[in-house]
Amino acid sequence: MNKAKLRKGLQIIAFFLPFYMGPAFFVFGNNHKHELAFQIIGGSMMILAILGTLFGLRRIIEAIFDKN
């Protein structure tokens, strides 16, 4: 197992954890005066959270199945 790749994957996932507040912004935008802005911010945060998690998981899986 490559510990450097594993650590990097965990760091990527930890960096994108705050972006999981996106659904809260999205729902808050439904009942607020600036609803379109909050929905755009919430939607982009959700997409960034999912993509960041996928990149981090890919790095972790590469570390687990590394032959070195």
Side-chain angles (χ1 to χ4, degrees):
M1 181 173 0
N2 191 342
K3 292 187 188 268
K5 281 186 179 180
L6 181 66
R7 186 178 308 118
K8 186 65 176 173
L10 290 173
Q11 287 174 347
I12 291 171
I13 290 176
F15 177 78
F16 284 102
L17 276 178
F19 289 102
Y20 276 102
M21 291 185 343
F25 279 99
F26 194 80
V27 171
F28 183 68
N30 288 332
N31 299 321
H32 198 268
K33 185 172 84 173
H34 307 289
E35 70 181 54
L36 183 61
F38 277 118
Q39 287 179 344
I40 290 172
I41 291 170
S44 62
M45 286 175 72
M46 286 188 279
I47 291 170
L48 283 173
I50 291 170
L51 289 176
T53 303
L54 289 176
F55 286 132
L57 286 175
R58 187 189 71 184
R59 184 70 59 107
I60 290 171
I61 290 172
E62 286 176 1
I64 292 172
F65 293 109
D66 196 17
K67 294 294 180 184
N68 291 336

